[in-house]
């Protein structure tokens, strides 16, 4: 996780307008209409198809074991020997899967650094792709500390490995699912956390891997096939509260809440509403429906975020099950929603 704009709810409309995109403008229009009319504006309600098979399950204990194995390599900042070990570890898990690598050299404030995105593709019967992404690098400015990012980068990367277990070897009656371990998500210069001074605007010095992938997929036409972009980040906190992110696509957030409700997990979702700047932004900007699964209250007032306290003892297998199950249920609902809203 790179950064957040944390503002009181009353200021949200201003905060969201800073990030310019279509649905923000629409929200403004709806507000204007509401104030001019006594009758509340009727927004179209989504119709959710029923589930006709058992709900998806995630092995939380196995996923937690993956988290432990990832952090056991130590800090894994981009360009480091540990980073290469984690990359090989992920690839070893995917050895019998269809894997694509997206490798390039990024120009950063610290010079040129190698960036390696990993994509595992699981084919479905339906035309279109749902992407699930997680960054796997750790915070670069903390590279010389013991920071291992158990929650920040570790929990979600482990969850994607478990998704691969769930998807592997089974026919998918639905969209293709692509798992993306994106790289160099974290800012290279200190990003304002831990009392450090912000030296670079975050979008100019972070999201290197996922931005490259979004640009590449836009150029080769892949982007048009992506029905939804689901992001997991900081999803292992034992005290789990996933945010309603106002930078995510509103209708897709509604699907997420429906999925959580179907599994009985809704009390872990959307108690707070706030705008989050994360790996989904390059896809949001390109009009791909996107949802960020993030709990940005990691310890009281987020005290463990980007500190050496981000360790596995703060996490729980149940939280990984809750987020993982809800992401898979979200895809199951999307598979059956025909047609999907376009934006
Ligand atoms: Zn982070």
């Amino acid at each position: 996780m790179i950064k957040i704009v944390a503002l009181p709810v009353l200021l949200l409309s201003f905060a969201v307008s800073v990030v310019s995109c279509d649905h923000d403008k629409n929200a403004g229009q709806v507000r204007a209409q509401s104030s001019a009319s006594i009758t509340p504006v009727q927004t179209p309600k989504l119709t959710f198809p029923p589930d006709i098979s058992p709900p998806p399950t995630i092995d939380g204990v196995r996923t937690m074991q993956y988290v432990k194995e990832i952090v056991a390599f130590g800090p894994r900042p981009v360009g480091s020997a540990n980073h290469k070990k984690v990359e090989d570890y992920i690839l070893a898990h995917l050895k019998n899967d269809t894997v694509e690598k997206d490798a390039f050299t990024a120009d950063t404030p610290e010079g040129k650094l190698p960036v390696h995105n990993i994509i595992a593709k699981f084919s479905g019967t339906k035309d279109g792709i749902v992407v699930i992404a997680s960054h796997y690098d750790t915070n670069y400015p903390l590279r010389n500390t013991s920071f291992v990012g158990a929650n920040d980068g570790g929990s979600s990367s482990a969850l994607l490995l478990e998704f691969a277990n769930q998807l592997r070897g089974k026919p998918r009656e639905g969209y293709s699912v692509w798992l993306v371990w994106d790289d160099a998500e974290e800012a290279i210069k200190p990003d304002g956390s831990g009392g450090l001074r912000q030296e670079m605007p975050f979008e100019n010095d972070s999201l290197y891997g996922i931005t490259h992938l979004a640009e590449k997929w836009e150029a080769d036409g892949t982007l048009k096939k992506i029905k939804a972009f689901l992001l997991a980040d900081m999803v292992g906190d034992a005290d789990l509260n996933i945010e309603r992110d106002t930078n995510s696509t509103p209708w897709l957030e509604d699907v997420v809440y429906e999925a959580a409700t179907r599994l009985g997990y809704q009390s872990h979702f959307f108690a707070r509403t706030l705008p989050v700047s994360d790996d989904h932004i390059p896809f949001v900007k390109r009009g791909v429906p996107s949802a960020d699964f993030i709990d940005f209250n990691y310890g009281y007032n987020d005290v463990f975020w980007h500190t050496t306290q981000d360790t596995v003892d703060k996490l729980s297998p149940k939280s990984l099950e809750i987020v993982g199950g809800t992401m898979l249920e979200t895809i199951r609902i999307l598979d059956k929603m025909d047609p999907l809203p376009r934006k």
Side-chain angles (χ1 to χ4, degrees), residues 92-310:
H93 273 266
L94 305 171
K95 62 180 183 297
N96 296 320
D97 302 321
T98 303
V99 172
E100 182 184 319
K101 296 178 196 169
D102 174 39
F104 66 100
T105 303
D107 271 318
T108 80
E110 295 282 340
K112 293 188 186 303
L113 288 170
V115 180
H116 296 164
N117 296 318
I118 300 168
I119 303 123
K121 301 180 177 180
F122 299 88
S123 297
T125 52
K126 230 174 153 174
D127 195 24
I129 302 158
V130 174
V131 172
I132 310 180
S134 154
H135 80 91
Y136 69 100
D137 58 311
T138 48
N139 183 285
Y140 195 84
L142 297 175
R143 64 192 176 284
N144 296 320
T145 71
S146 61
F147 178 77
V148 290
N151 198 25
D152 189 358
S155 61
S156 49
S157 293
L159 191 55
L160 263 62
L161 292 173
E162 172 64 6
F163 286 150
N165 295 340
Q166 299 294 334
L167 293 163
R168 186 176 297 125
K170 296 175 197 159
R172 268 224 97 239
E173 298 283 330
Y175 296 117
S176 295
V177 176
W178 291 6
L179 305 176
V180 175
W181 288 262
D182 64 276
D183 197 7
E185 185 257 13
E186 298 282 8
I188 299 301
K189 283 287 187 188
D191 60 4
S193 63
L196 299 169
R197 185 168 60 89
Q198 178 160 348
E199 298 178 9
M200 300 266 300
F202 90 97
E203 283 183 78
N204 293 333
D205 178 36
S206 64
L207 308 178
Y208 290 97
I210 201 69
T211 301
H212 187 266
L213 205 53
E215 287 170 351
K216 180 175 151 180
W217 283 349
E218 186 171 39
D220 71 11
T222 301
L223 203 78
K224 289 197 192 81
K225 299 178 196 162
I226 300 177
K227 302 295 182 184
F229 180 94
L230 308 181
L231 176 64
D233 197 4
M234 301 177 69
V235 291
D237 187 357
D239 178 17
L240 183 72
N241 296 289
I242 299 294
E243 323 292 352
R244 182 185 277 274
D245 163 38
T246 54
N247 288 336
S248 291
T249 308
W251 72 259
L252 189 53
E253 292 281 88
D254 291 346
V255 177
V256 169
Y257 195 75
E258 170 68 14
T261 303
R262 286 185 181 190
L263 300 178
Y265 295 151
Q266 67 270 37
S267 67
H268 298 281
F269 283 76
F270 298 175
R272 292 202 307 176
T273 299
L274 69 175
V276 182
S277 296
D278 212 351
D279 321 33
H280 59 322
I281 296 298
F283 285 82
V284 170
K285 284 184 171 175
R286 287 167 174 80
V288 177
S290 303
D292 190 3
F293 290 69
I294 184 166
D295 174 354
F296 205 67
N297 196 21
Y298 184 31
Y300 176 76
N301 211 18
D302 212 34
V303 287
F304 300 137
W305 176 57
H306 285 183
T307 75
T308 54
Q309 301 291 318
D310 183 359

Side-chain angles (χ1 to χ4, degrees), residues 26-43:
N26 291 340
Q29 286 164 8
V30 170
R31 273 196 300 276
Q33 287 167 11
S34 294
S35 60
S37 165
I38 295 169
T39 316
V41 174
Q42 298 296 314
T43 50

